[in-house]
Amino acid sequence: MKNRIAKRMSTLAPSLTLAISAKAKAMKSAGESVVSFGVGEPDFNTPEHIINAAKSALDNGHTKYTPSSGLLPLRKAICEKFQKDNGLTYEPSQIIVSNGAKHSIFNACYAVLEEGDEVIIPAPYWLTYPEVVKVCGATPVYIDCKKENQFKFSPEELKAVITPKTKMLIFNSPSNPTGAVYNEEETRAIAKVCEEAGIFVLADEIYEKLCYNGVKPFSIAKCSEKMQDLTITVNGVSKTYAMTGWRVGYLAAPKDVAKAIDSFQSHATSNACSISQYATIEALNSSDEEIQEMVNVFDKRREKLLALIDGIDGVEAVKPDGAFYVMLVVNGLYGKSYNGKTINNSIEFADVLLDAEKVATVPGVSFGADDCVRLSYALSEADMEEGLKRIARFVANLK
């Protein structure tokens, strides 16, 4: 018999985020008091007016197939969003609505990557990027971003890894997992390198509205007409509007790329959920004030989390400017042990911490940063304080 499972599936690594989350949930179900810093979604409910828009869609019978690329009114609303927020002009035919931003990322990679292509991924990175690249037959090439530079890469570092095989740069700002945000000057310098090399940029902007201290991201597609023709911008409503379960993401792409993605999606999944699309139209019409309320809560938690970390000897954190994550640098504790269990890497740190203090974190090795674990501050202040108290006690008890 031939291989039962396709070879391309052997390249995929299981998600440690989901693995840790599953273990923490099992412990909670068993009645244990677990504090989870692993969550990657806002702990707010979807705003009522968005929920009501979905109810209206149901009541009005909008339960049928839509065009594979998404409802035209939604794609028009997304075009208006790009114009208003990013200064970018697109036609509805250049917008593809998919089942979440992750789906959009896969579609973009599947449409342009081929066997032998190389894709540059700055590390720390969102753990799905390299897996998508590999399953599409391409090879990830990493830039090791230093914490001394706020986990950001320079144009010189980008140039150094570009080869004749380079097809794409994945550019995530604000970043998951680091919270790093590239300003306009930094973004334009990176765009110049990409233009000169003629490589695509997959710009993941899912966290664009979650920024702090007046820091604002800058869309790389805005740098020039040439850059817009090389950029596939991915966004969605999951993070900004607390709509993770609604599964709506979208992308804007050059016409030929958008056409190819639409063709593929029409065979792979057809359209995203019709009800969720109507809710997304309402979400995109939300006021900035409504979004800012959530951002203010996250900002307060961010400052609190950083202050608590600062009080723990042996660990440190790089202050994030966006998203809702902090990379906790823990490699200064490697070589130490807890109840006879020696900790030598981020997986062992996260596993022993969860067993010892019932605190769930995500091992940094998942993000290409084995010297760290990721903490989310999308949880209540009370839980956050309790979790950091437990981490401090855990660190103090290491031998």
Side-chain angles (χ1 to χ4, degrees), residues 22-233:
K23 183 175 179 179
K25 285 178 181 177
M27 293 169 73
K28 274 189 174 182
S29 296
E32 299 186 62
S33 172
V34 177
V35 177
S36 179
F37 288 100
V39 66
E41 60 182 341
D43 59 322
F44 301 90
N45 195 25
T46 304
E48 194 67 26
H49 66 99
I50 297 174
I51 293 172
N52 288 337
K55 291 177 180 177
S56 294
L58 286 167
D59 292 339
N60 292 323
H62 297 313
T63 57
K64 309 298 183 184
Y65 290 130
T66 75
S68 57
S69 58
L71 291 163
L72 181 57
L74 174 54
R75 285 181 285 132
K76 286 182 176 179
I78 292 168
C79 288
E80 291 169 6
K81 174 259 177 282
F82 274 116
Q83 185 66 61
K84 176 172 71 78
D85 293 342
N86 311 100
L88 292 166
T89 301
Y90 289 104
E91 298 174 7
S93 63
Q94 294 178 268
I95 307 298
I96 309 294
V97 179
S98 302
N99 300 286
K102 185 183 289 188
H103 186 203
S104 296
I105 289 166
F106 178 82
N107 282 348
C109 289
Y110 198 77
V112 303
L113 298 180
E114 297 182 289
E115 294 280 345
D117 287 340
E118 293 179 350
V119 177
I120 297 169
I121 305 176
Y125 47 75
W126 181 46
L127 53 85
T128 292
Y129 295 145
E131 307 310 321
V132 170
V133 167
K134 288 184 289 184
V135 85
C136 290
T139 302
V141 175
Y142 303 105
I143 301 175
D144 184 20
C145 302
K146 305 292 190 296
K147 62 179 182 290
E148 294 78 12
N149 298 326
Q150 292 185 297
F151 291 118
K152 293 193 276 191
F153 68 95
S154 68
E156 292 72 28
E157 289 173 312
L158 176 58
K159 283 181 184 179
V161 295
I162 291 176
T163 74
K165 294 181 179 181
T166 303
K167 186 70 172 287
M168 177 187 285
L169 163 70
I170 296 182
F171 186 58
N172 179 208
S173 173
S175 163
N176 173 8
T178 68
V181 182
Y182 292 78
N183 61 31
E184 180 175 348
E185 182 181 357
E186 292 167 331
T187 303
R188 287 190 179 278
I190 290 165
K192 186 177 180 182
V193 175
C194 296
E195 288 176 11
E196 291 171 353
I199 62 174
F200 278 109
V201 173
L202 195 163
D204 183 352
E205 299 183 353
I206 191 70
Y207 292 96
E208 72 167 334
K209 301 264 187 179
L210 303 182
C211 291
Y212 316 104
N213 287 342
V215 173
K216 294 200 177 295
F218 186 80
S219 291
I220 197 166
K222 177 64 176 169
C223 290
S224 68
E225 286 187 19
K226 182 177 181 181
M227 196 65 245
Q228 185 168 349
D229 189 54
L230 288 170
T231 301
I232 304 166
T233 301

Side-chain angles (χ1 to χ4, degrees), residues 234-245:
V234 171
N235 210 320
V237 293
S238 293
K239 315 300 183 181
T240 304
Y241 305 100
M243 294 177 67
T244 51

